[in-house]
Amino acid sequence: MKSFIFDVDGTLLSTESMYMKSLQQTLEENGIHKAYEELYAIFGLPSLDALIKFGIENPEEMQRQWQDHYHDFWDEVQLFAGVTDMLADLKATGVQLGIVTSNTSEEFADHADAFGINGYFDDFVFAGQTPKMKPAADPILKSMADLKATPETSIYIGDSVHDMHAAHNAGIKFGMAAWGVRDRAVFNDEAEFIFETPADILKLVD
């Protein structure tokens, strides 16, 4: 592989708790009661799409409230062990690195920047930069175009079924970041690669 494109939440950063608890708090404040596991089903979708999927009225306003609560749970966010070393080692080989995330550029800057990983990447695709977001192919296709990458030598690495479908819709292979996955069964053996640790990704460098 020559082009490695990464998801962020649940793949590079452990952000599940921050997103889900802040969403749960936001919904509770608006009289909507949902269990954590029910909320987890939309983890990985763009925040606005997630709210629309739940049938929330005034999703744009609810999205703003949700984002306002992120910092209430900021101390629960951390970089997964081994990610920085993996990125540094990949970068040293000369391969291309990209990010395709359901975060807006503002959301990404609000938390991912704090971990000092931006310098490893050659390209970033955020929510709102393409007509459709994951699980549609659009953001991955944009990243590949930006990187001048070919499908045969590209892989998308993520932790959700939405990530896998986006990769396959874009015609490239998918690697499952097992360290961020709760239930492997939902992938139904469709992931071409399963990475137990971030270091395992290095095995795919040509």
Side-chain angles (χ1 to χ4, degrees):
M1 295 292 173
K2 300 183 183 302
S3 301
F4 293 76
I5 306 172
F6 289 85
D7 172 50
V8 174
D9 296 316
T11 301
L12 301 177
L13 291 179
S14 176
T15 54
E16 175 199 323
S17 180
M18 179 193 75
Y19 281 125
M20 296 301 95
K21 288 183 178 179
S22 58
L23 174 57
Q24 193 170 43
Q25 179 173 326
T26 300
L27 294 176
E28 288 287 343
E29 290 174 353
N30 287 272
I32 301 169
H33 309 289
K34 288 188 179 293
Y36 188 99
E37 291 304 317
E38 188 176 1
L39 298 178
Y40 180 75
I42 54 85
F43 184 58
L45 289 176
S47 54
L48 187 60
D49 290 351
L51 293 169
I52 292 172
K53 187 178 180 66
F54 276 141
I56 300 297
E57 295 182 8
N58 300 317
E60 292 86 359
E61 171 58 22
M62 192 78 76
Q63 180 190 40
R64 184 192 63 76
Q65 295 177 32
W66 182 7
Q67 292 170 345
D68 286 345
H69 281 307
Y70 286 170
H71 282 254
D72 295 342
F73 302 96
W74 169 248
D75 59 348
E76 301 197 26
V77 178
Q78 59 185 335
L79 199 66
F80 282 111
V83 163
T84 300
D85 288 343
M86 174 269 293
L87 293 175
D89 291 343
L90 279 177
K91 191 71 173 177
T93 70
V95 299
Q96 295 179 307
L97 300 179
I99 275 180
V100 167
T101 174
S102 295
N103 289 329
T104 64
S105 58
E106 293 79 13
E107 288 172 331
F108 182 81
D110 191 44
H111 56 266
D113 280 358
F115 293 93
I117 60 174
N118 286 13
Y120 294 112
F121 294 95
D122 305 295
D123 184 62
F124 301 83
V125 178
F126 302 112
Q129 291 186 325
T130 55
K132 296 180 180 179
M133 282 301 294
K134 298 183 294 186
D138 301 35
I140 293 179
L141 292 176
K142 173 174 169 45
S143 181
M144 291 172 63
D146 293 345
L147 296 170
K148 297 180 173 56
T150 63
E152 296 79 17
T153 59
S154 300
I155 185 171
Y156 186 54
I157 299 165
D159 67 298
S160 74
V161 173
H162 312 300
D163 295 331
M164 181 172 69
H165 290 166
H168 291 163
N169 288 336
I172 68 172
K173 292 181 172 60
F174 174 72
M176 184 181 77
W179 56 88
V181 173
R182 284 191 184 192
D183 182 7
R184 299 187 186 198
V186 299
F187 291 88
N188 295 320
D189 299 321
E190 295 178 52
E192 285 81 7
F193 299 97
I194 296 175
F195 302 120
E196 299 294 342
T197 70
D200 290 340
I201 296 171
L202 294 164
K203 298 173 184 177
L204 293 188
V205 177
D206 291 340

